[in-house]
């Protein structure tokens, strides 16, 4: 599934949940890896249009694809124009997933007592996992759209990569539940492959438990 030329996109920069702002732009060029977006396509009064973007910034992109509202995480690679409205180039860092509901089945990992390395934290509880993302409990403070390095060990193998924060749920003091999209931004990253492997195995374990309980 691909974002077409001329599509309208909505960009969200990392921010706290108290103020979610989407900046509207139009895709004016793209290839398999990079998208060029013009944020001045809807200007009517000639005034400068401010969009708080900068190179290497991690952002979220929302768009409509075949009648469904989708999203993916992205990294701005270049600011091609700043005034009167920005024109940027970005690369996608995750697959497109539904912005309206969970596209992939998530398998709960709570009873499996799994922990992962999440940013600077060595042992964060892994709450659930799917082929495209996961949820984790953390003591640290992050914003929607931020990217966090991740290491998951499962079945004798280590899976590394990063996650783009999609949702934040503040629990009791010192505990925050983060929902993330899995990403592989460095050479050798295998987190996305690992998420699919872990999800499949957790589902098998749960089915075996259900079969044994019948």
């Amino acid at each position: 599934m691909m974002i077409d030329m001329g599509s309208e996109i909505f960009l969200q920069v990392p921010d706290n949940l108290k103020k979610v702002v989407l900046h509207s732009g139009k895709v004016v060029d793209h290839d398999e890896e990079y998208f060029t977006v013009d944020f001045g396509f809807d200007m009517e009064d000639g005034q400068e249009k401010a969009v708080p973007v900068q190179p290497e910034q991690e952002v979220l992109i929302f768009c409509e694809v075949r009648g469904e509202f989708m999203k993916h995480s992205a990294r701005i690679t270049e600011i091609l124009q700043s005034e009167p409205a920005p024109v940027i180039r970005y690369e996608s860092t995750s697959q497109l997933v539904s912005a309206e509901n969970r596209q992939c089945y998530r398998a709960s990992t709570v009873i499996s007592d799994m922990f992962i390395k999440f940013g600077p934290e060595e042992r964060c509880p892994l709450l659930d996992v799917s082929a495209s993302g996961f949820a984790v409990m953390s003591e640290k403070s992050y914003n929607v759209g931020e990217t966090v390095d991740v290491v998951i060990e499962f079945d004798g193998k280590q899976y590394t990569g990063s996650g783009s924060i999609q949702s934040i749920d503040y629990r009791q003091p010192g505990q925050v539940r983060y929902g993330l999209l899995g990403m592989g931004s460095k050479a050798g990253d295998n987190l996305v492959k690992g998420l699919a492997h872990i999800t499949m195995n957790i589902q098998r374990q749960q089915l075996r438990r259900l079969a044994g309980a019948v």
Side-chain angles (χ1 to χ4, degrees), residues 59-79:
V59 297
L60 290 178
I61 302 292
F62 297 82
C63 59
E64 185 176 317
V65 180
R66 298 177 185 174
E68 184 176 4
F69 199 47
M70 310 289 286
K71 66 180 178 181
H72 64 172
S73 57
R75 178 183 299 107
I76 297 175
T77 59
E78 190 176 0
I79 308 296

Side-chain angles (χ1 to χ4, degrees), residues 1 10 12 22 60-65 68-72 95-103 166 181:
M1 194 174 289
F10 300 90
Q12 179 186 346
L22 298 179
L60 290 178
I61 302 292
F62 297 82
C63 59
E64 185 176 317
V65 180
E68 184 176 4
F69 199 47
M70 310 289 286
K71 66 180 178 181
H72 64 172
Q95 296 180 346
L96 279 169
V97 297
S98 174
E100 300 172 343
N101 50 55
R102 289 182 174 182
Q103 185 186 48
Q166 307 292 293
L181 277 177

